[in-house]
Each structure stands twice: as structure tokens, then as C-alpha cells.
């Protein structure tokens, strides 16, 4: 019974984390599902978002302005990956890895701005000292400063904005680029521009998630983005596996990534309660992603007939 | 309408895989010309078409469409002038998008794409009418994903998309080759109807000599990266498969009138 109570007590925290990672997962959905690019920039741009937000807040900025700065920094990171990929002709995966690697150095520098040290791996933003948008401190409070309130608002607004954008001419050309680049070019769509734009938007969202995460946990750390792409993919895929039959609408598909992220963190909370160490989680995450990516592949390979129908229906 | 001046293209130049695909092609299409293109495998038909469409740059020569020199333009900017249908039915449409969304993308060929809504109500109605002309029942499935359509339906849709905004030049790259004979005939019939209706300047590659003879006002045969035979007017009307094969033997200097390459 104690176990159950403790688990229930930690549920709000899991949902809070899930909502923040839902933002990151929606960013990854754009590159992974819409553009068909596995963008590994994410591990770095998440930290960049966290670092920039934390830095700006410690410099006395308004937290909204700090979050905006974080988003812009993430968009810049996405642009760099897009530049490597389209202008320099580097394969997308490698382009992302290069940016991510470069960002490691950049992020250490960002967090040390205004400090006597030249590089810094942690930058604290305590809710005692600064005005923050979200903080884990209030996660169980029945009040408006509960981070869940703002995160739900954020999620709804971001889904609405993305839904609108992907219905516009520009958004449609982005979807066409991911669906069939040959056709897109034949219809006069600049596929390189679309890829860069998608990477910019995606990493802007990831950095926003990073900026929120830093505030939520009270610090920005250099390794907070390690494996972020895998966690975000896990969220996207869990959401799809569980909800793709019910959620056909684009907005609902985005929502399923958020729900996937929440489920992911609830499960993580559970296994931590069961005695797993937090350092074991990367292994667990990798396995979850591997398994959920394997299932559709094997289904296609060994039961191709029934699955092909399903794929085209869900596509 | 189309002016091709001495274009050359070599793939993998300087390697063991070097392949000279185009050895100086000159071709001029007048406004409203419907030219069928035949030739064996490796004759350079598809390379010619891709060079015109801008899939890759040419090594030498120039390409002008409707008075605009497009030689240096990337593929997506040439799309303003060119409508295309590919051999592979999968290639011309976005499978994961709806039928009407595909049409809406095509309707904006050659225009800027901003933050206006991707498809509006008036367009939808226009597409419904247009799809009905195909006689495939697609007008009742406008929000279906294109991936659910058959190859023939997808080719018909691609044809509609290629001509939705009247192109200065229509390129058809063996667009019926992957279809069963009955469907191929139907798609070809639709092609003919649209070309006649809109008086489109067209370049159509085909493997089928009979189709090449039956359609268009002019026929060219490519051989080893050049235009080897160019027949038009009355001569084209009187052409037969036998006559064509004889002409080919003459050009290639061999009697074994490569029926494997030419007939189908």
C-alpha cells in the first residue's frame, strides 16, 4: 500500500515532466514523421535551450523573454544542421551529430557567460531567487502557479499553432517534402528550404522544452540532453502505437506524442519505485525505442499483407 | 516553345563507370507540338527529359522554355514551366497526403507558398469537377490518401496535377509503362484528351512503337545520345512499325533491327 501511495504521490511530477517532454516530442515528430529525417541535433539543442533560458533568467531577464531567447537559440541550431545537410550535402544524421557535438562546447560556454570560469557544466536557477514560469516545487499545489497549468496551456497553444501552420501552403509544402521530395520538386517546391525550415521549427520547440525543463528542475546541466532524441522518439512511437487507431486528425496525432511522453514518464516513475537506478534509464529507453521500432518492421516482414493495408490507412 | 541546343551529359566522368548519355542533342519544339520519343535502353531518352526538367545540370549546351533560358535553374524553379508525369506511379504523388491536398500542391506550381490556407473551398469544388472528368470515381474520395489508389489511378491523378496549371511544356516519361495494358490505354486516352483540349506542347517517351506512331504530330528516335530520326507532318502520319524499324537499321548501321530494344 505504501508503494502505491508513494507512486500516486509522484504521479503529478511524472505528468509535469511528460508535458515538458511532450513539447520536445512534438518537435521531433516534425522532423522524424513529417520530414522523414532522424535529427540528432536534439540532444544538443535541448541543452542550448536550457542553458540560454537559465543564463537569461540569472541575468535578470523576464522568464518569458528568456524562453523566447531559448527558442531562438534552438532555431539557430536547427538552421546550422539544415545548412550542413542542404548546402554542404552532409547526410542528415551526420549533420545532426556534428551540430550536436559542436553544441556541447557552445553550451558549456553559454552557461559560463558573465562568470569568472570559462566553461560551466551546471547553471542553477533556483525558484527561491528568480521568477520562473514552471517549477517542480509547486507540482502538488492546488494553485495557479502549479506548473501543470501553464504546461497544459502551452501544449494546447503549440498544437493549435502547428495545426494551423501545417494546413497553410507553406506547411503543406513541408509535408510534401517529407512525403515525396521528387513530387515536391516537380510541383515547384524548394525541398531544401522546406527541410531547413522544418529543422528550425523543430529545434525551436526542442529548445523551448529545454528552457522549460531547466526552470522546472531548477538548473541547466550539460548532460540534460543526453539521449533526448531517444526519449522523444519513445514518446512519439508509444503515442502512435497506442493511439494511431483512434487519433487520425493531425492535431490529435501531435497530442498522441504528448500523451506518449506522459506515459513514458509515468512508466519511468514506476520502474524507479520498483528499485531501478536512474542511471539505468538510458538502457531502458534505448530498449523501448528499439522494440517499438522493431514491431512494425517485423510485422511488415512476416505478415506483409495485413500490415501493408494498415500502413496505408494510417499513413 | 522548347529549344534544346547541343546539350551533353556524361555520368561518372573520369571513372570506370563513365557513361556518355547525351552527345549533343539539338531539338526545337514549336508551340503545340506533341512529340513522341522512342529509342532503346540507354539511348538517352530519360536523360534528355531529366535534363529538361532540371533533375541534374547538363555539362554543355542550353535549354530554353518559352523564351526563358532555364539551363541554370534548379528543378523546383523550372517546375514553373514544366509539368511532369513519371514512369513510376509512386513518384508523381505524395502517398501520405489526400487527393485534394495533392491537387492543391499542384495548383500552386510556380507560385510562392505563404501562410494562406493550403486548400480553400472554391478550389475543392473545382477539383471535384475536374476529377469527375477522369471517370474513375475519385471525385467522391477527395480526402482519401493517395496511397490507397491503384497505379493507374495515381497516374491519372499525376496527369491532372501536371496539367492543372497549364504548363508551357508537358513531359511524360513512359508514364504508362508500369500499368497493365487496359489501364495504360485508358491513361493514354486521358492524356490525349488533355493535350488536345489545352493544346499543350508535349514530349512523351514511350517504349511502345505503336503508341509513338498513333499519337502526336511528330516522332523522334534517339540513338546513342543523339536524335537519330525526326519525322513529322505527312510522313509521320504514314509511318508504320516496319518502316520505323527499317529507318532504325539505316541509322544504326546494323540489320539486326534490335527488336528487343524497340518492340514491345
Amino acid at each position: 500500500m505504501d508503494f502505491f501511495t508513494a507512486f500516486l504521490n509522484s504521479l503529478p511530477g511524472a505528468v509535469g515532466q511528460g508535458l515538458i517532454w511532450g513539447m520536445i516530442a512534438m518537435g521531433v515528430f516534425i522532423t522524424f514523421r513529417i520530414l522523414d529525417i532522424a535529427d540528432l541535433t536534439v540532444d544538443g539543442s535541448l541543452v542550448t535551450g536550457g542553458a540560454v533560458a537559465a543564463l537569461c533568467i540569472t541575468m535578470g531577464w523576464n522568464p518569458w523573454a528568456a524562453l523566447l531567447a531559448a527558442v531562438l537559440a534552438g532555431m539557430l541550431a536547427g538552421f546550422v544542421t539544415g545548412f550542413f545537410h542542404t548546402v554542404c550535402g552532409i547526410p542528415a544524421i551526420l549533420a545532426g551529430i556534428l551540430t550536436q557535438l559542436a553544441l556541447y562546447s557552445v553550451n558549456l560556454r553559454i552557461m559560463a557567460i558573465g562568470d569568472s570560469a570559462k566553461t560551466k557544466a551546471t547553471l542553477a536557477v533556483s525558484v527561491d531567487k528568480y521568477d520562473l514560469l514552471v517549477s517542480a516545487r509547486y507540482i502538488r499545489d492546488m494553485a495557479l502557479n502549479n506548473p501543470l497549468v501553464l504546461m497544459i496551456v502551452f501544449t494546447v497553444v503549440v498544437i493549435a499553432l502547428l495545426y494551423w501552420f501545417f494546413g497553410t501552403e507553406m506547411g503543406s509544402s513541408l509535408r510534401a517534402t517529407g512525403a515525396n521530395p521528387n513530387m515536391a520538386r516537380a510541383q515547384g517546391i524548394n525541398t531544401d528550404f522546406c527541410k531547413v525550415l522544418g529543422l528550425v521549427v523543430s529545434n525551436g520547440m526542442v529548445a523551448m522544452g529545454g528552457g522549460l525543463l531547466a526552470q522546472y528542475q531548477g538548473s541547466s546541466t550539460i548532460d540534460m540532453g543526453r539521449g533526448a532524441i531517444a526519449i522523444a522518439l519513445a514518446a512519439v512511437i508509444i503515442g502512435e502505437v497506442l493511439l494511431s487507431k483512434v487519433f487520425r486528425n493531425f492535431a490529435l496525432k501531435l497530442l498522441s506524442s504528448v500523451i506518449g511522453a506522459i506515459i513514458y514518464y509515468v512508466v519511468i516513475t514506476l520502474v524507479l519505485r520498483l528499485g531501478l537506478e536512474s542511471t539505468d534509464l538510458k538502457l531502458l529507453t534505448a530498449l523501448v525505442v528499439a522494440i517499438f521500432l522493431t514491431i512494425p518492421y517485423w510485422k511488415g516482414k512476416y505478415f506483409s499483407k495485413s500490415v501493408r493495408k494498415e500502413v496505408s490507412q494510417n499513413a | 516553345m522548347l529549344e534544346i541546343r547541343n546539350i551533353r551529359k556524361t555520368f561518372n566522368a573520369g571513372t570506370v563507370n563513365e557513361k556518355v548519355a547525351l552527345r549533343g542533342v539539338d531539338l526545337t519544339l514549336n508551340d503545340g507540338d506533341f512529340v513522341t520519343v522512342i529509342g532503346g535502353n540507354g539511348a538517352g531518352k530519360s536523360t534528355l527529359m531529366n535534363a529538361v526538367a532540371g533533375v541534374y545540370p547538363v555539362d554543355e549546351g542550353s535549354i530554353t522554355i518559352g523564351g526563358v533560358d532555364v539551363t541554370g535553374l534548379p528543378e523546383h524553379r523550372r517546375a514553373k514551366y514544366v509539368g511532369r508525369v513519371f514512369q513510376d506511379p509512386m513518384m508523381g504523388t505524395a502517398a501520405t497526403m489526400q487527393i485534394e491536398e495533392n491537387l492543391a500542391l499542384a495548383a500552386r506550381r510556380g507560385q510562392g507558398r505563404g501562410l494562406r490556407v493550403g486548400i480553400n473551398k472554391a478550389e475543392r469544388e473545382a477539383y471535384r469537377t475536374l476529377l469527375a472528368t477522369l471517370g474513375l470515381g475519385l471525385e467522391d474520395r477527395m480526402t482519401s490518401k493517395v496511397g490507397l489508389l491503384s497505379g493507374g489511378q495515381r497516374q491519372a491523378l499525376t496527369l491532372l496535377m501536371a496539367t492543372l496549371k497549364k504548363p508551357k511544356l508537358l513531359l511524360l516519361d513512359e508514364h504508362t509503362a508500369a500499368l497493365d495494358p487496359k489501364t495504360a490505354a485508358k491513361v493514354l486516352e486521358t492524356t490525349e484528351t488533355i493535350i488536345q483540349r489545352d493544346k499543350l506542347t508535349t514530349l512523351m517517351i514511350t517504349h511502345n512503337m505503336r503508341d509513338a506512331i498513333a499519337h502526336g504530330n511528330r516522332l523522334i528516335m534517339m540513338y546513342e545520345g543523339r536524335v537519330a530520326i525526326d519525322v513529322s507532318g505527312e510522313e509521320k502520319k504514314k509511318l508504320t512499325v516496319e518502316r520505323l524499324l527499317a529507318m532504325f537499321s539505316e541509322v544504326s548501321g546494323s540489320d539486326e533491327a534490335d527488336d528487343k530494344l524497340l518492340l514491345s
Side-chain angles (χ1 to χ4, degrees):
Chain A
M1 209 57 205
D2 269 357
F3 168 81
F4 195 64
T5 329
F7 174 63
L8 275 186
N9 268 328
S10 54
L11 263 188
V15 175
Q17 286 236 311
L19 283 169
I20 293 177
W21 278 91
M23 196 71 69
I24 297 160
M26 285 192 285
V28 167
F29 182 90
I30 294 176
T31 47
F32 188 66
R33 279 297 179 229
I34 298 180
L35 280 180
D36 201 18
I37 290 176
D39 174 31
L40 300 187
T41 318
V42 170
D43 284 24
S45 58
L46 186 144
V47 183
T48 305
V52 169
L55 176 77
C56 292
I57 288 171
T58 54
M59 289 195 317
W61 287 33
N62 173 295
W64 289 99
L67 193 63
L68 181 66
V71 171
L72 292 176
M75 290 170 110
L76 183 63
F79 178 80
V80 171
T81 301
F83 184 86
F84 281 158
H85 178 46
T86 59
V87 179
C88 307
I90 300 169
I93 288 197
L94 188 53
I97 291 175
L98 292 177
T99 312
Q100 181 203 118
L101 183 67
L103 283 177
Y104 182 82
S105 304
V106 174
N107 293 335
L108 286 169
R109 289 276 184 179
I110 290 175
M111 286 193 274
I113 290 174
D115 196 272
S116 54
K118 285 200 172 127
T119 63
K120 229 172 146 181
T122 310
L123 188 58
V125 273
S126 165
V127 70
D128 298 325
K129 279 162 75 182
Y130 307 101
D131 183 20
L132 302 181
L133 295 175
V134 289
S135 170
R137 170 87 51 92
Y138 310 118
I139 190 76
R140 272 186 288 275
D141 292 2
M142 294 299 275
L144 272 180
N145 67 354
N146 187 313
L148 292 180
V149 177
L150 190 68
M151 281 315 304
I152 289 171
V153 173
F154 258 124
T155 304
V156 171
V157 170
V158 167
I159 289 178
L161 278 174
L162 289 176
Y163 183 77
W164 164 76
F165 175 71
F166 281 102
T168 64
E169 292 175 343
M170 201 187 279
S172 300
S173 60
L174 227 80
R175 288 189 289 143
T177 299
N180 184 348
N182 283 310
M183 170 270 192
R185 281 190 292 273
Q187 299 303 342
I189 292 167
N190 186 344
T191 49
D192 282 351
F193 170 81
C194 286
K195 283 183 193 170
V196 175
L197 181 67
L199 286 163
V200 165
V201 172
S202 165
N203 281 288
M205 289 174 63
V206 169
M208 179 156 100
L212 290 167
L213 193 60
Q215 298 180 53
Y216 182 82
Q217 62 192 24
S219 70
S220 155
T221 60
I222 192 67
D223 63 356
M224 68 193 263
R226 185 163 298 161
I229 181 70
I231 296 176
L233 280 180
V236 170
I237 296 162
I238 291 171
E240 276 174 3
V241 168
L242 297 179
L243 298 166
S244 65
K245 289 252 154 59
V246 216
F247 285 5
R248 292 289 172 77
N249 178 288
F250 182 72
L252 292 177
K253 278 185 184 171
L254 288 172
L255 182 65
S256 71
S257 294
V258 179
I259 294 172
I262 294 172
I263 292 171
Y264 174 87
Y265 271 97
V266 169
V267 172
I268 293 294
T269 310
L270 188 67
V271 296
L272 285 178
R273 290 277 161 208
L274 289 172
L276 230 58
E277 286 298 317
S278 61
T279 46
D280 297 333
L281 294 180
K282 307 276 187 222
L283 173 66
L284 190 71
T285 309
L287 287 175
V288 166
V289 173
I291 290 168
F292 277 100
L293 285 177
T294 306
I295 294 169
Y297 175 71
W298 279 1
K299 261 181 157 178
K301 207 168 166 186
Y302 301 112
F303 312 94
S304 59
K305 226 176 182 176
S306 59
V307 170
R308 204 175 298 147
K309 219 185 269 166
E310 196 175 291
V311 164
S312 47
Q313 268 171 15
N314 296 341
Chain B
M1 191 48 78
L2 171 69
E3 271 193 52
I4 297 173
R5 289 278 157 272
N6 191 34
I7 58 168
R8 290 168 187 276
K9 179 73 188 175
T10 304
F11 291 105
N12 306 312
T15 73
V16 285
N17 292 321
E18 183 171 293
K19 165 96 183 87
V20 184
L22 298 177
R23 304 165 189 268
V25 174
D26 284 291
L27 184 66
T28 302
L29 263 63
N30 296 319
D31 207 349
D33 265 357
F34 179 2
V35 180
T36 55
V37 186
I38 55 172
N41 291 322
K45 308 182 302 286
S46 287
T47 309
L48 174 68
M49 204 153 275
N50 287 333
V52 172
V55 176
Y56 28 66
V58 291
D59 302 334
E60 236 181 273
S62 73
I63 301 165
T64 310
I65 302 173
V68 182
D69 185 347
V70 299
T71 318
L73 288 186
E75 191 181 356
H76 70 270
R77 297 209 22 218
R78 280 190 216 190
K80 185 175 176 185
Y81 313 105
V82 182
R84 286 153 76 193
V85 184
F86 311 90
Q87 178 173 3
D88 180 358
M90 303 297 141
M91 207 156 153
T93 45
T96 55
M97 296 176 76
Q98 300 168 353
I99 293 176
E100 58 177 33
E101 286 178 327
N102 273 274
L103 285 164
L105 286 167
R108 287 157 180 78
R109 185 161 50 78
Q111 295 175 0
R113 290 165 206 259
L115 295 176
R116 278 171 309 227
V117 63
I119 176 169
N120 61 46
K121 215 174 163 189
E123 293 180 64
R124 245 184 219 120
E125 284 316 306
Y127 298 156
R128 191 182 301 280
T129 317
L130 203 60
L131 284 167
T133 62
L134 291 178
L136 296 170
L138 295 183
E139 65 277 14
D140 300 322
R141 304 171 60 189
M142 298 219 330
T143 55
S144 292
K145 300 276 153 79
V146 169
L148 296 170
L149 305 185
S150 69
Q153 290 173 326
R154 284 181 79 156
Q155 282 308 66
L157 179 62
T158 309
L159 194 61
L160 218 53
M161 288 165 63
T163 53
L164 191 55
K165 276 209 74 167
K166 190 181 167 186
K168 290 207 183 315
L169 178 68
L170 178 63
L171 298 179
L172 307 170
D173 187 356
E174 293 192 46
H175 69 305
T176 59
L179 308 175
D180 64 82
K182 210 178 142 202
T183 314
K186 179 102 175 62
V187 170
L188 202 53
E189 190 190 313
T190 310
T191 309
E192 183 74 44
T193 311
I194 292 176
I195 290 173
Q196 297 305 334
R197 185 192 66 200
D198 294 346
K199 301 184 176 49
L200 297 173
T201 310
T202 306
L203 207 52
M204 177 173 93
I205 299 181
T206 174
H207 248 115
N208 188 319
M209 290 180 114
R210 277 175 201 88
D211 288 344
I213 292 170
H215 296 274
N217 64 333
R218 185 173 163 196
L219 179 149
I220 62 174
M221 181 190 284
M222 294 197 62
Y223 179 69
E224 292 191 336
R226 289 192 189 90
V227 176
I229 295 172
D230 189 340
V231 191
S232 58
E234 283 305 308
E235 201 188 349
K236 160 81 169 53
K237 282 182 190 153
K238 283 185 268 170
L239 214 53
T240 58
V241 172
E242 292 69 31
R243 171 85 189 107
L244 206 50
L245 284 172
M247 287 168 87
F248 178 73
S249 304
E250 218 170 286
V251 169
S252 63
S254 83
D255 297 332
E256 47 185 306
D258 259 39
D259 44 7
K260 205 169 69 187
L261 294 182
L262 288 166
L263 279 176
S264 55

